[in-house]
């Protein structure tokens, strides 16, 4: 019994050592995961910083261009006025074409109404003819046939 207890006690350091290694390995894995995660974030941050620098470069370039164009607002006003005049001319021609199309549609509508007015009597006559053709022949009673034979 004493020897069994001694063996149990001898196994405790080995067990503790294995547990310590297991915990240590777990910590190393956690640290590796965190390093990888932070490494990805660092890369993402670096990429964002590069984008900010690029955008700032574009902003600087555009500010320089804007400074160059500040001297020509009168030219832009003239160009805008020309564009407005062209747009008004085009709009006027489109309105004229639209008016012409409206007139054509109105004439077509009047023609259709006239055709309908002309077709209405024809339709009534056709309906009357069809009604006459569909009526069954009138059967004469036996006494009206004898009267017709007797006369």
């Amino acid at each position: 019994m004493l020897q069994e207890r001694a063996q149990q006690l001898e196994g405790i350091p080995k067990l503790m050592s294995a547990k310590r290694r297991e915990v240590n390995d777990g910590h190393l894995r956690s640290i590796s995961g965190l390093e990888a995660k932070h490494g990805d974030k660092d890369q993402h941050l670096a990429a964002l910083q590069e984008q900010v620098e690029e955008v700032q470069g574009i902003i600087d370039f555009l500010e320089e261009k804007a400074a160059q164009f500040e001297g020509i607002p009168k030219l832009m006003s003239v160009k805008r006025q020309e564009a407005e005049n062209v747009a008004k001319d085009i709009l006027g021609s489109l309105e004229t074409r639209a008016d012409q199309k409206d007139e054509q549609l109105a004439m077509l509508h009047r023609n259709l109404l006239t055709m309908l007015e002309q077709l209405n009597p024809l339709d009534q006559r056709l309906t009357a003819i069809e009604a006459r053709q569909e009526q069954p022949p009138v059967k004469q009673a036996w006494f009206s046939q004898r009267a017709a034979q007797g006369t």
Side-chain angles (χ1 to χ4, degrees), residues 42-57:
D42 288 342
Q43 289 175 351
H44 184 66
L45 182 60
L48 288 175
Q49 287 173 339
E50 287 178 17
Q51 288 178 350
V52 167
E53 289 172 5
E54 289 175 8
V55 169
Q56 187 60 44

Side-chain angles (χ1 to χ4, degrees), residues 11-24:
I12 289 178
K14 290 179 185 176
L15 180 65
M16 293 303 284
S17 178
K19 290 282 185 182
R20 187 174 50 245
R21 266 188 261 121
E22 185 180 314
V23 168
N24 192 22

Side-chain angles (χ1 to χ4, degrees), residues 54-72:
E54 289 175 8
V55 169
Q56 187 60 44
I58 292 170
I59 289 172
D60 293 341
F61 174 76
L62 292 175
E63 285 175 346
E64 290 174 13
K65 286 292 183 184
Q68 293 173 359
F69 287 118
E70 284 178 1
I72 53 170

